[in-house]
Every structure is written in C-alpha cells, then in structure tokens.
Amino acid sequence: MTDTATRPIADAPPRTTGARGGVAARLASGPLPWLLPAVAMLGLFYLYPVIEAVRLAFTDARLFDTETAFSMRSVSSLAGSSTLGTILRNTLSYTVASVVGQIALGLAIALLVVRAERARLRGTLVLRTIVLAAWVIPAIANGIIWQLLFSEAPFGAINSALRMAGVAPVAWLSDPGNAMLSAVIATIWQGTAYSMILLYAALKTIDTALYEAAAIDAARPWERFWFITLPHLRPALLVNAILILIMTLNMFDTILALTGGGPGRATEILSLYAYGTVFQNFELGRGAALSMLLLVISLTLTALLTLLLPQERR
Amino acid sequence: MAKLDLSAITKSFGATRVLDQVSLSVPDREFVVVVGPSGCGKSTLLRIVAGLEAASAGEVLLDDRPVSQLSPGQRNVAMVFQNYALYPHLTVAANIGFGLRRARMRRAEKREAVARVARLLEIEPLLNRRPGALSGGQRQRVAMGRAIIRNPAVFLFDEPLSNLDARLRMQMRSEIRALHRAVPTTTLYVTHDQIEAMTMADRVVVMNGGRIEQIGTPTEVYSAPRTTFVAGFIGMPSINMIPARYRGDALELPSTTLPVPAAVKPRLAGHAGRDLLVGLRPEHLDIRPGGDGLVAEVDQIEPTGSETLVYLDHPAMRLSARTAPDTALSPGMQVGLRLLLERASFFDAETGLNLVPPPSNLTGELTA
C-alpha cells in the first residue's frame, strides 16, 4: 500500500489497490475472462454435440451397438437415395409454405393490432393475448389439437363444421395431397404468434408523425405501406425470417403428432426422417449424417438471409 | 393562396376540453403565430386545421369552403413537423418530390421543381443524401422544401425550431420569414417560444387553457396585453405586477402612494377603490436614488452585454428592471425605484382583464 501512496494520482479513481491486483486488473481489462463462461457453456452443450455428430456421421454406428468403425457408408448412402429426394422436396415445400405463411399472417395481424391501437379501439390486448396463446402450447400438443380438428372421424371439428355448412368432408390427413397442407396450416397457426409479436414490436417503433406527414401528402394506404412501413420493417422481417426458417427446418414434433410423417412419406421432412432413422431403424451413423445435412442447409440459408440485413442503419 | 377561418372550434378528449370555442380568421398570405404554454391546445388546433384530428364542434373553412369532411390530403395544406417527419428511406430529392407523385407533370418537370425548391432553400448538394445523414438545420430545410413544393393553400408549422440549438434557431427564424416573403402563403405557426412569436408573426394569437387570450400584432400584445396572462407570458423577463388601489387621484402601492399622471387618469376612471394590478415592463422601472418612495433590495444582477437585468426583492413582490450595462449596483443594495406609470397596463385584480380593452382584432384585418 505504501508504494501506491508515492505514485502520482491518476485522474481516474484506481480500480485496484496494491501490487496483487495487477494481474487480475490486466486480465479484467481484456475480453477473455468475460467471454470464458459463455464459451464454456456453448462449447459443452452446443459445440461438443455437433462435433460428436460429425464424428458419428463417418461411422457405421447403430443405436444399441457398442462396436463402431469409421466408415463412409452413412454419408455415401445418402447420395443416391431416392427416399432422401422425396424428403428434401417435402422439406422444401413445407418450409417455404410455413415460413411465408407465418410471416405474412403475423405481419397482417400485427398491422391490424397497431391500426386498432391507433384508432383507440378496445380489445387489442385481448387479441394479442389470444394470438400469443398459440405460441404457449407445446408443439406436440399443437399437433394433437390439429389432429383432433382435422380428424375424419365423426367428432372431427372441421369436417363437422363443413358438413353442417353442406360441404362434403375433406380427407385432411389421409389424403397424401392434403396432408402436407394440413401440416402447414397447423405450423402456421402456432408460429404466427411469434412473427406477430416481433413485427408488432418493430411497427411500434415507427414514428407516427411519418404517417401523418404521408396523410398530408395524400399518400394512399399502399403507398404508406410501401414507403414507410415496409422499409422500416426490413431488418425485423429478415431477422424474423431467419429465426422462423431455423425453427421450421427443425420442426418435427407437430408433424410427428399430427401425421407421423404419413400418409406414406407425404409429410416426412428432414428432421423427422433423421429422427426415424436413428430411433426407429437404429442407424445412428446415417441419422447423424442426415443431421449434418440439415445443419448445412440451415447455415447456408441463414448466411444468405444475413447478407440481406443492412450492415448499419443510415 | 387562401383565407383560413376557424369558427368556434371545440375539442374534447373524453371529459377534458382541450379547445373551447376557438375562432380565428387568417387572411390570405398572413403569417400568424399561435403561442402559449404547453397544454394550451395550440398543437391540437393546428392538427385540426391539418385534418389529423377531428374537431368535436366547429368548422374549419378554407376560402369560405368547409373542409372538416375532407381528409388531410384533400385539404391542400402542408405541414412542417416538430421532428420534421422526413421519410428516412427516401433521398432528400425523393422526400421533397413526394408530394408531386400524382401531379400531372413529366418526370423532367418534377425534377426541375425539386431542383428549384432545393435552390431556394440552398440544399442542392444534399439532394442525393438520406435524411439520416443531415444535420438538424438541413432536415428542417428539407421539411420545408417538402411543404413548399406542393404550393399549398396553407402552411402549418408545429414547433419547427424546438429541436435546434439557439444559434440555428435564430438563423432559421429569419430564413422562414424570408421564405414567407419569397413565397407568400397563408401560414399558421405554432410555438411555445414567445420570442418566435414576437419576431416572426404578422399577428400573434396567445392561447391559454384552450381559449384565445388575445389576438394582435406583436407590438399590441406586448404593450397592450388584454389579460394578466398575456402580460406575463409575453416579454422576457416577465412583466412586473404591482398590486395597487386607486383612491382619490392617487395609486396606493405597497409601502408608498403615488400621484397618478393626468394622462393615466382616464384609464383608471370608474375603478376607484378596486384592487388593481399595475403591469409594468422591466424597461419602465427606473432604478434611481430616492425614486418614488418604493424601495427594494437588489437580489441578482444579470449583465447580457447590451443591457443589464436587475432582479429586486420587495417585501410584497419580486421585481425586475432593465438598466444600462454600466450599472454600479451590487446584490444587497437598497435602491429607490421610479415607475413610468404612463407606460403601465392596469388590470382588474379580480378578473385579470385590462381596464382598457385593446382592439379585439378577431376579424383578422391587418392593423398596420
């Protein structure tokens, strides 16, 4: 302590006292100690499993076999697989339809809520809460709910309603052509809440004076949307698209509960296929390779969307 | 180019009455500044003229045509907002040209119109920038450009200078006036800053509590305020209000009695024995040895360079006086005061009204 007293006093109050604090202070001023906890957590629970999955993809591991050998068979078997082609087509149509549907519907509801709030209408909070309620339901329960709704048995709610309206019942889940549509509807119904909240928050940040200026400039509704709302929402829409894309690509519990991937392979998407490969066929190596494929697809699409994000707001 | 009339505009939000029977006539090309403390309803009034709010009762007339049923875009008004409300994703040129979207003009004509406005406002080099890359003063000009280009019937300004620093505010004040001279357009300008009102207006409308307190030229509202509110709101430092009673040709003031000058007597006639307030501007209060028998203690001295403001404490009131810059006063001194009663305004202490009502000027005819 005595040597600190003889040192000239710095203009900033000293953060540490004594020589002992020197190393700790130097460390604390660098980024490493602050990053370490996060790096450790991510490494342990995210990075390690990914590396392990990569390793497994290059083995012939089976779920209940302890003996494994390195092999290219898991990976190479995917190359010529016609099943995988079907799965990828399913994944593409399911993902595109769900993502577009969730963003469009979420945006529509968010615009509606903001508009209602500006008009000082009652009930906007109730509406927001109802929409959010869908998001609170676990995906697997969502699948079961929609299975009951779509059910072609006499108690199926949608078909009952159609019958009452004098419309012929629809084979929602048993017709391979309709099953994918049903899966997309169930996914959109649940995921819309997420888009809605994200876009609602973004809409709330838009200065209302801009809309007033546009009103005085005699802008029509589409012009207000095109020149004010949409440019402001661009970053939020892209972030929303990235998040929903990842969630939808990884979605499997709703479909598992709704159709189980059927009829046939009509609604089997990549994540469900990987699940089946591991837990029904016990082909751990092949399942790991499929997971890698899913990871690569997710990363590529995310990277592409990220490129569209404005680097800095001007 | 248009005449703007407001007839008995009333606006209530729920149980709160924000505007109460506000009537105002603005002749073609006049620059009218509406001034008042925050919450007095001046911005609401402007928004009702713009069509952004609907009046609960009353009518807005443009060239004697009621416009209350028209949308803001149909009224042919232009507005400059407090935060400018420039479209952040459009260039300056696109912002200025926004109002011409549907004008029947060729593309080259529109570009020429934008260039002309940019030249007028000296923002030509900025045309390709976005609003985010502009300074406050530049944004202000772009906002005005967007308003001018449509050649509107009425210009509306909603506290346009309050986001600027003092020096820029002063510069923009004179630029807006110059612009009005170059493009004479009926203008309604809302501000809480009485300096803006005094320096820019052809006529000033002083509002308080949802009502118009006085309409008049800057000189009128300054030297002949209709109410104690106007007297206190206009002028910096505030007017001195001295309680008094008129009795037997003399004014009984706190701690002294002054004879009333002959010129002032007619103004006080008929108010003998009533409680009055003598409104005296700081420049009409002379600090001099002896004075009129009114003695106060110097509390604070504020030299501004061109003059020195002296704040004084008297047991009954606080006073301020404007003196020459080379004053030898110092805080704590006891000084005598002389009141220039000829220049004073006299108010009824109970009603707050000037004993001599100034010309009402509600009709909007320029008195010059």
Side-chain angles (χ1 to χ4, degrees):
Chain A
M1 293 304 271
T2 47
D3 61 331
T4 55
T6 56
R7 272 207 317 245
I9 296 161
D11 16 341
R15 274 179 295 187
T16 53
T17 50
R20 193 163 44 90
V23 178
R26 191 131 18 96
L27 264 180
S29 66
L32 204 61
W34 306 99
L35 289 176
L36 218 53
V39 169
M41 287 295 285
L42 288 173
L44 193 61
F45 294 108
Y46 287 86
L47 210 54
Y48 171 70
V50 170
I51 294 167
E52 187 63 8
V54 173
R55 189 183 68 80
L56 282 172
F58 292 97
T59 67
D60 59 357
R62 297 183 59 81
L63 196 54
F64 299 113
D65 266 351
T66 44
E67 303 246 326
T68 59
F70 283 99
S71 150
M72 289 299 288
R73 212 181 320 139
S74 297
V75 177
S76 60
S77 74
L78 297 182
S81 162
S82 67
T83 313
L84 186 63
T86 311
I87 300 296
L88 286 179
R89 266 195 304 281
N90 286 346
T91 309
L92 179 73
S93 48
Y94 170 75
T95 306
V96 169
S98 301
V99 169
V100 171
Q102 286 173 67
I103 294 176
L105 201 60
L107 179 59
I109 296 175
L111 285 169
L112 191 75
V113 171
V114 169
R115 179 102 197 245
E117 280 179 352
R118 288 219 180 102
R120 300 191 188 101
L121 295 183
R122 285 156 184 257
T124 54
L125 183 67
V126 176
L127 177 60
R128 253 160 52 208
T129 314
I130 290 174
V131 175
L132 260 186
W135 183 245
V136 177
I137 296 170
I140 196 113
N142 181 42
I144 293 168
I145 290 170
W146 279 95
Q147 197 195 26
L148 295 174
L149 290 173
F150 282 133
S151 173
E152 288 147 40
F155 58 82
I158 295 175
N159 275 347
S160 304
L162 287 179
R163 215 173 293 121
M164 270 187 271
V167 181
V170 177
W172 292 105
L173 300 174
S174 60
D175 182 320
N178 290 343
M180 180 57 88
L181 177 68
S182 305
V184 168
I185 290 175
T187 309
I188 290 177
W189 180 79
Q190 178 161 45
T192 293
Y194 188 82
S195 290
M196 190 272 289
I197 284 298
L198 219 132
L199 296 175
Y200 169 78
L203 282 173
K204 291 289 271 186
T205 65
I206 303 179
D207 181 5
T208 49
L210 288 176
Y211 291 105
E212 293 177 345
I216 287 174
D217 280 335
R220 298 189 171 131
W222 72 265
E223 287 175 315
R224 267 175 267 164
F225 183 73
W226 184 255
F227 289 112
I228 301 173
T229 311
L230 213 50
H232 265 104
L233 283 187
R234 203 172 94 119
L237 277 171
L238 280 167
V239 169
N240 188 19
I242 291 171
L243 292 174
I244 291 186
L245 181 75
I246 294 170
M247 284 191 263
T248 309
L249 275 172
N250 291 324
M251 168 65 75
F252 100 109
D253 19 14
T254 293
I255 297 187
L256 185 71
L258 186 68
T259 63
R265 291 196 184 280
T267 55
E268 191 160 0
I269 57 170
L270 192 50
S271 57
L272 199 59
Y273 183 51
Y275 170 82
T277 304
V278 174
F279 294 101
Q280 282 156 12
N281 298 350
F282 308 133
E283 296 174 74
L284 188 54
R286 193 158 192 270
L290 288 167
S291 303
M292 284 306 104
L293 182 61
L294 185 57
L295 181 68
V296 169
I297 293 173
S298 296
L299 284 179
T300 311
L301 292 176
T302 304
L304 284 177
L305 282 175
T306 310
L307 281 181
L308 294 175
L309 270 176
Q311 289 306 304
E312 54 174 330
R313 299 270 231 109
R314 274 185 297 172
Chain B
M1 305 297 139
K3 179 160 90 78
L4 169 68
D5 289 280
L6 308 180
S7 113
I9 300 279
T10 297
K11 174 74 181 177
S12 304
F13 290 113
T16 333
R17 180 160 284 204
V18 186
L19 290 173
D20 192 5
Q21 302 269 338
V22 172
S23 293
L24 174 66
S25 255
V26 185
D28 188 20
R29 301 177 177 209
E30 195 182 39
F31 196 113
V32 167
V33 175
V34 181
V35 67
S38 44
C40 72
K42 56 191 191 297
S43 279
T44 307
L45 188 68
L46 196 74
R47 294 169 60 83
I48 286 173
V49 174
L52 298 172
E53 305 263 3
S56 310
E59 185 59 82
V60 179
L61 301 118
L62 273 175
D63 275 337
D64 299 321
R65 203 165 48 99
V67 296
S68 288
Q69 299 306 313
L70 299 182
S71 71
Q74 294 168 324
R75 294 186 182 195
N76 194 22
V77 297
M79 184 154 164
V80 175
F81 291 81
Q82 181 170 0
N83 62 1
Y84 319 129
L86 301 176
Y87 308 120
H89 302 92
L90 300 181
T91 60
V92 166
N95 262 287
I96 295 176
F98 195 79
L100 298 180
R101 287 176 329 287
R102 276 194 293 283
R104 289 170 185 278
M105 294 165 84
R106 263 185 242 114
R107 198 174 282 254
E109 285 179 303
K110 289 184 187 175
R111 215 175 306 131
E112 177 47 38
V114 170
R116 202 166 47 235
V117 168
R119 216 157 32 237
L120 183 68
L121 295 164
E122 295 171 17
I123 48 175
E124 284 165 294
L126 310 175
L127 283 177
N128 291 318
R129 294 216 204 147
R130 301 265 177 108
L134 303 181
S135 70
Q138 291 168 334
R139 284 180 210 195
Q140 170 75 64
R141 277 170 227 239
V142 177
M144 290 199 289
R146 187 172 66 179
I148 296 171
I149 198 161
R150 287 171 39 213
N151 194 16
V154 177
F155 258 144
L156 305 172
F157 288 89
D158 187 10
E159 310 230 7
L161 304 185
S162 50
N163 287 357
L164 302 179
D165 63 54
R167 176 183 287 270
L168 203 51
R169 206 177 305 161
M170 204 157 86
Q171 184 190 338
M172 291 311 293
R173 277 206 312 253
S174 58
E175 283 190 22
I176 291 176
R177 277 305 305 187
L179 190 68
H180 184 254
R181 272 196 303 278
V183 191
T185 305
T186 314
T187 302
L188 203 57
Y189 182 110
V190 160
T191 179
H192 64 269
D193 182 351
Q194 49 109 7
I195 303 269
E196 278 172 36
M198 296 296 287
T199 52
M200 301 175 75
D202 291 329
R203 270 192 314 149
V204 179
V205 175
V206 184
M207 285 188 69
N208 183 34
R211 291 167 171 276
I212 292 181
E213 293 270 336
Q214 186 172 5
I215 303 176
T217 64
T219 325
E220 280 167 358
V221 293
Y222 186 76
S223 51
R226 196 177 71 87
T227 62
T228 49
F229 174 82
V230 176
F233 190 79
I234 303 286
M236 207 59 193
S238 230
I239 196 166
N240 296 300
M241 282 292 180
I242 305 168
R245 191 172 285 229
Y246 181 49
R247 189 171 292 168
D249 282 358
L251 270 180
E252 294 174 0
L253 302 177
S255 69
T256 186
T257 299
L258 294 182
V260 174
V264 179
K265 274 182 193 159
R267 289 201 258 158
L268 294 174
H271 297 283
R274 294 189 60 96
D275 282 329
L276 304 177
L277 286 170
V278 181
L280 207 57
R281 295 281 173 198
E283 55 268 35
H284 302 141
L285 198 62
D286 265 2
I287 296 176
R288 59 178 55 190
D292 288 338
L294 200 61
V295 175
E297 185 184 310
V298 176
D299 176 44
Q300 244 183 67
I301 297 173
E302 280 183 0
T304 67
S306 59
E307 62 185 16
T308 294
L309 303 174
V310 182
Y311 296 91
L312 304 141
D313 267 335
H314 178 277
M317 62 215 155
R318 204 172 148 73
L319 300 166
S320 56
R322 228 181 266 275
T323 66
D326 51 352
T327 175
L329 298 171
S330 61
M333 279 171 76
Q334 298 282 328
V335 293
L337 298 171
R338 203 179 142 245
L339 315 181
L340 299 179
L341 285 180
E342 294 88 346
R343 310 296 301 271
S345 301
F346 298 91
F347 302 92
D348 187 318
E350 212 168 290
T351 61
L353 289 175
N354 199 324
L355 299 187
V356 185
S360 73
N361 224 348
L362 270 169
T363 53
E365 292 311 314
L366 271 173
T367 53

